[in-house]
Amino acid sequence: MNKLRKSSDRYLRIYDENIKRISENSAPFLNSFREDAIANFIKTGIPTRKNEAYRYTNMDAWFNHDYKNYFIPDESDFTKAEEFSCDVTDLDVYGLILFNGFYPTNNGKIRELPGSIQIGSLNEAAKVFGSTIEKHYGKYLNGNNDGLVHLNMAMAADGVFIYVPAGTTLKRPVQVVNLVQSDKDMFNQHRNLIIVEDNADFTLIICDHTLSPNKFLTNAVTEVFVGENAHFDIMRVQNEHNNACKISHTFIHQEKNSRVSSNNITLHGGLVRNNTYHYLGGEGAESNSYGLFLADKWQHVDNYVNVDHVFPNCKSNQLFKGVLDEMATGAFNGRIYVHKDAQGTVAYQKNNNILLTDDAKMDTKPQLEIYADDVKCSHGATVGRLNDDALFYMQSRGISKREALLMLMFGFAHEVIRNIKVEALQERMDSLVMQRLKGELSRCAICMVKCGNM
Amino acid sequence: MLIIKDLKAAIDGKTILKSISIEVKPGEIHAIMGPNGSGKSTLAAVIAGREFVEVTGGTVTYEGKNLLEMAPEDRSKEGIFLGFQYPTEIPGVSMVNFMKTAVNEHRKHKGLEPLSASEFLKIMREKKELVEIDSKLANRSVNEGFSGGEKKKNEIFQMSILEPKLAILDETDSGLDIDALRIVANGVNKLKRPDNATIVITHYQRLLDYIIPDVVHVLYDGRIVKTAGKELALELEAKGYDWIKKNVEKNELS
């Protein structure tokens, strides 16, 4: 038996052993998807490098490991969640926490914000907002056949639910902080559902943190619905330790004339794989997908972006950048799929990477499939060193080589960071990136764990 | 101020400068002219400290110090400025941040306190007028998306802020229309002081209608083959570089 079968069998066994407990704790509606999902998982398994979409990322070592499973929340953990406070100054948000994938229900299960916006536990929402959930849950995967999405559907028991009613504008962003903590190596999954109805305007910040130095494997799925003329901004800041593997799948479905901006900043993590799917499902929709990662030691960061142009006159833009130091490796795969009827499509993609050492490695793959004829598409990818000419130009004005290098790298990173619209967060990212580049942060920033030399 | 003696230099093992000797005194403007490939830009690169040029012989002394031992940033802080033939685009680094960092490095070198943001912006405003540069350009990334003329004006703008003792302008006139040429030349003339010097490297005589040189050198095949006053530029314009080439060949035969 090869490794694929072995690791897949492991998770099938985990399903068999735990599904009864998971189901007892879950809303019947969430349970109604589980059997089909595990059947699909059996067919697909854990992705390996034989899957084209995972060609540059080897997850075997992360999946072939004995983890404690966190499928049922331990209520005593919820008090730990209360101890956490985000230290980004001047960040004015409605904050909520997911602890090992679960919404801490000790202070209520759903919270109402101005404009009748609901935020809280997905599991609870599946019980009390039946029709809303039924309309959207599992509807935006578009036949996705990633074994990890099936695995999530089969076993995830909670996550964040956000409902922004039509016409509602929320000026303050909502911040979801994902905390992962355990005294044993741990596997956890969660599932988010974000509904932004017609003409609404909503900003979401998601931060990933690990709070204990154990080995972690997190597999998260987020589905987002963005209605007609609605605006949705999502920023994700990933800051986990080097012994953590984070796999995120984000499906964003857009209706007519909606606008979406997604910004993914990976500051730290052992293995990070972000799958971002943009589905432009109505005329005049626009999506911007940005990403930045800084990796060193043996970290691996892989961004997979898929943009579906289904209707005419939609716009999309992808800008992903990476800085790789020491033995770090990275990958970018950007797919643009322009369907037959999507005339007037405008789609751009750019991926630029800087390798600071000979050992760092980056794989980048643009993938354009265009079936309409009136289309404006462009893509460009670079992997290289810092520009020697720019370096000399700066030195020739009196700037030291070290300072010039920093300014160049910072400038490179800032091209992505400047798209973060929440000012306090943008400033914080700038300063974290600068500190990281100066070597002042040798491991995850804002980390409360003294995890030694990981 | 600057004494170059029997300078020899090579790029990738190929000798480009065979023997260059020039002396520049404070208050002087020198023009170095010559056909394409004669070594003009290589000479500028040696003075500014580019690593890809290997100095194989001779000396360059700047204010009594061995220039060749100095790092490029130290040369700048000691008062040398190179106006690039092809100014580099630096995406993500704003002009303001770039020049502020440069100015404060210069000040630190002189033992001065760094400028505050408002003091610095005041200087930027003053100098912008001098070179008639569009205010918006200062808020953009260094040279990114600038037209050819804007890039050259930006070089003079930077020069006006850094106030060098010795400026080397490498083909600053190439690719400029007549208006931009006038602005660039005006900038240079306004910055001229009795204690600073300028070396203008050019292929054409037309820039020298605006910047009147004290000394003109003709560089050909890695050597200074003729040095004279400003009238030499006009003679070159009238007779062309073939005249120089023939003279050199004749001398070599005799």
Side-chain angles (χ1 to χ4, degrees), chain B residues 74-187:
Chain B
D74 295 331
R75 299 181 195 205
S76 167
K77 287 183 279 191
E78 287 288 338
I80 291 181
F81 179 90
L82 173 66
F84 283 67
Q85 184 176 3
Y86 304 108
T88 313
E89 298 194 6
I90 313 178
V93 177
S94 74
M95 267 306 291
V96 174
N97 193 18
F98 171 58
M99 281 321 288
K100 191 168 168 240
T101 308
V103 165
N104 284 334
E105 292 272 352
H106 280 240
R107 289 179 68 87
K108 195 162 102 191
H109 185 68
K110 291 179 191 140
L112 300 170
E113 288 293 306
L115 287 179
S116 71
S118 64
E119 286 169 321
F120 176 72
L121 289 175
K122 188 165 162 266
I123 293 178
M124 287 271 282
R125 265 199 304 278
E126 284 166 15
K127 304 295 186 182
K128 262 188 283 198
E129 284 167 27
L130 183 77
V131 292
E132 301 174 41
I133 196 166
D134 191 338
S135 294
K136 279 179 241 143
L137 294 185
N139 297 327
R140 301 226 306 252
S141 293
V142 178
N143 291 323
E144 195 185 25
F146 287 27
S147 72
E150 285 166 343
K151 282 182 183 169
K152 296 300 177 76
K153 279 201 257 177
N154 191 22
E155 294 294 290
I156 305 302
F157 176 55
Q158 293 172 37
M159 177 175 138
S160 70
I161 290 174
L162 296 174
E163 300 182 326
K165 289 185 212 159
L166 174 67
I168 303 124
L169 303 178
D170 186 9
E171 308 242 5
T172 300
D173 52 334
S174 67
L176 289 189
D177 63 26
I178 200 76
D179 290 330
L181 189 69
R182 184 185 48 76
I183 291 168
V184 164
N186 268 345

Side-chain angles (χ1 to χ4, degrees), chain A residues 194-358:
Chain A
I194 323 289
I195 301 159
V196 182
E197 289 190 336
D198 297 355
N199 302 304
D201 192 335
F202 181 67
T203 301
L204 179 66
I205 300 168
I206 299 180
C207 302
D208 296 340
H209 291 291
T210 40
L211 296 186
S212 59
N214 302 76
K215 183 165 178 160
F216 294 124
L217 174 61
T218 305
N219 180 41
V221 172
T222 301
E223 279 182 282
V224 183
F225 169 83
V226 185
E228 267 186 50
N229 290 312
H231 292 178
F232 175 64
D233 227 311
I234 178 168
M235 283 150 273
R236 195 188 291 267
V237 181
Q238 298 176 312
N239 205 355
E240 302 196 333
H241 62 53
N242 284 356
N243 209 9
C245 171
K246 172 77 185 227
I247 301 157
S248 77
H249 316 260
T250 307
F251 297 87
I252 304 176
H253 173 100
Q254 289 184 244
E255 291 285 310
K256 221 160 102 180
N257 297 323
S258 60
R259 283 220 307 271
V260 164
S261 166
S262 155
N263 210 316
N264 226 92
I265 312 283
T266 309
L267 293 171
H268 234 281
L271 186 150
V272 177
R273 162 79 181 211
N274 296 312
N275 298 304
T276 312
Y277 301 89
H278 296 270
Y279 187 87
L280 299 169
E283 201 169 343
E286 187 183 324
S287 90
N288 288 292
S289 198
Y290 306 105
L292 169 72
F293 71 88
L294 307 173
D296 57 13
K297 302 215 171 98
W298 61 92
Q299 296 175 16
H300 179 80
V301 181
D302 180 357
N303 278 293
Y304 179 90
V305 183
N306 184 87
V307 181
D308 262 305
H309 279 267
V310 188
F311 286 84
N313 304 316
C314 292
K315 270 191 206 164
S316 70
N317 180 35
Q318 300 170 44
L319 173 66
F320 280 76
K321 293 190 153 197
V323 179
L324 298 98
D325 201 356
E326 296 172 323
M327 306 85 84
T329 52
F332 173 78
N333 187 348
R335 182 169 178 259
I336 299 171
Y337 190 102
V338 182
H339 294 244
K340 193 161 65 63
D341 297 328
Q343 301 297 353
T345 288
V346 178
Y348 301 120
Q349 179 189 102
K350 213 166 99 176
N351 174 234
N352 306 118
N353 307 283
I354 295 178
L355 304 181
L356 296 174
T357 65
D358 289 337

Side-chain angles (χ1 to χ4, degrees), chain A residues 389 393 395 397-398 408 411, chain B residues 50 73 76 82 92 106 155 158:
Chain A
D389 289 336
Y393 189 79
Q395 283 180 274
R397 300 303 183 241
L408 282 178
Chain B
R50 280 226 80 152
E73 56 266 37
S76 167
L82 173 66
H106 280 240
E155 294 294 290
Q158 293 172 37

Side-chain angles (χ1 to χ4, degrees), chain A residues 349-403:
Chain A
Q349 179 189 102
K350 213 166 99 176
N351 174 234
N352 306 118
N353 307 283
I354 295 178
L355 304 181
L356 296 174
T357 65
D358 289 337
D359 296 325
K361 187 171 174 277
M362 180 73 198
D363 288 297
T364 174
K365 188 176 132 194
Q367 201 181 334
L368 274 62
E369 295 175 46
I370 300 169
Y371 299 100
D373 22 319
D374 177 16
V375 167
K376 214 164 132 187
C377 272
S378 77
H379 67 92
T382 59
V383 178
R385 297 308 192 92
L386 284 168
N387 184 345
D388 278 342
D389 289 336
L391 204 56
F392 179 74
Y393 189 79
M394 297 174 85
Q395 283 180 274
S396 80
R397 300 303 183 241
I399 300 171
S400 71
K401 191 169 185 177
R402 184 184 143 79
E403 187 67 25

Side-chain angles (χ1 to χ4, degrees), chain B residues 230-248:
Chain B
K230 62 180 182 235
E231 65 288 348
L232 178 57
L234 295 170
E235 202 175 355
L236 261 183
E237 180 77 356
K239 297 183 181 172
Y241 285 114
D242 280 349
W243 165 65
I244 291 289
K245 289 179 194 171
K246 274 178 201 150
N247 265 346
V248 171

